[in-house]
Amino acid sequence: MLWPIVLPFKIAFWSLAGIVSLLTLLSPALKWNRGKTFLISSLLGCLAFIPSCAGIMTIVDGQRFGIFNYGTYAEVQDFRIERYLPTSARDITLDKFAMGHRAKYTITETELTTYLDSLWIEAGTNSAISRDALDDGSSVSFDQIAHDFDGLNWPLLSTVIQFHSPIQGDGGGATYYFDPSTNIAYHRAGYW
């Protein structure tokens, strides 16, 4: 749940610690009292921590969240996404955000169902909801799921078959929507 702030926290902490250390080490050359320099720079570092962490987070989030395009699964290289993305997915578009992602890709129905079957074999016994209770393979209208993909301007799926990954105890998991007439799949995944 807190994973998005770990990297900015580390960068801000170590940067400010480095500045405090550098000022303390250089204080005799600047004819400053080493103890006072350490105390004042430490207090200023504490005051600057939250604003610097927020600024660093803004910069880092601009690079790791948003819309990204990939040709194949191998190009994605993000473990949070890879655990929900079929390895045979092609022409992948991802909308990454802190607590999940939305994906669009090309895949055949056989490739998708084989991938999902392997997920259920691997983790199905730990799923908070059984596969039977999730109505895997049922048809839904795109109007029912359109809100999941608002703002992306992805093409409408004409025929939608719904599938699910195993659901973690904290609600994490993915819902897959497949259009057999175009071999396009959308999915929405959440993780905490």
Side-chain angles (χ1 to χ4, degrees):
M1 184 162 144
L2 298 176
W3 78 267
I5 65 170
V6 171
L7 181 61
F9 178 90
K10 287 179 179 179
I11 293 170
F13 177 81
W14 289 112
S15 297
L16 292 171
I19 292 169
V20 169
S21 299
L22 186 62
L23 287 173
T24 304
L25 289 173
L26 293 176
S27 63
L30 299 170
K31 297 184 174 92
W32 296 345
N33 179 300
R34 185 172 272 171
K36 285 183 181 179
T37 302
F38 176 75
L39 181 63
I40 291 169
S41 61
S42 294
L43 290 172
L44 290 174
C46 289
L47 290 173
F49 179 74
I50 291 176
S52 63
C53 192
I56 291 167
M57 184 179 296
T58 300
I59 294 167
V60 170
D61 286 354
Q63 301 298 312
R64 62 182 173 174
F65 300 135
I67 305 288
F68 299 88
N69 293 301
Y70 304 96
T72 64
Y73 170 89
E75 296 172 25
V76 174
Q77 297 182 2
D78 183 335
F79 75 93
R80 284 173 288 281
I81 293 169
E82 289 172 346
R83 63 183 163 177
Y84 296 114
L85 184 67
T87 56
S88 53
R90 300 166 300 283
D91 304 318
I92 304 161
T93 302
L94 291 172
D95 175 28
K96 299 179 186 180
F97 47 94
M99 295 302 156
H101 68 273
R102 299 181 288 183
K104 175 179 78 79
Y105 46 90
T106 304
I107 192 168
T108 66
E109 187 170 4
T110 304
E111 291 169 333
L112 181 61
T113 55
T114 301
Y115 167 75
L116 290 169
D117 288 343
S118 70
L119 282 182
W120 280 97
I121 289 169
E122 181 182 320
T125 56
N126 297 324
S127 181
I129 303 171
S130 72
R131 194 173 192 182
D132 296 335
L134 291 171
D135 251 358
D136 254 15
S138 63
S139 292
V140 295
S141 74
F142 192 78
D143 292 339
Q144 289 176 286
I145 64 164
H147 66 280
D148 284 343
F149 303 98
D150 283 345
L152 294 174
N153 297 321
W154 291 351
L156 301 176
L157 300 177
S158 57
T159 307
V160 183
I161 302 172
Q162 180 176 272
F163 299 98
H164 300 275
S165 72
I167 307 298
Q168 298 168 2
D170 63 3
T175 304
Y176 299 81
Y177 305 102
F178 179 73
D179 185 347
S181 64
T182 60
N183 283 341
I184 291 178
Y186 290 1
H187 80 242
R188 180 179 178 91
Y191 30 85
W192 322 118

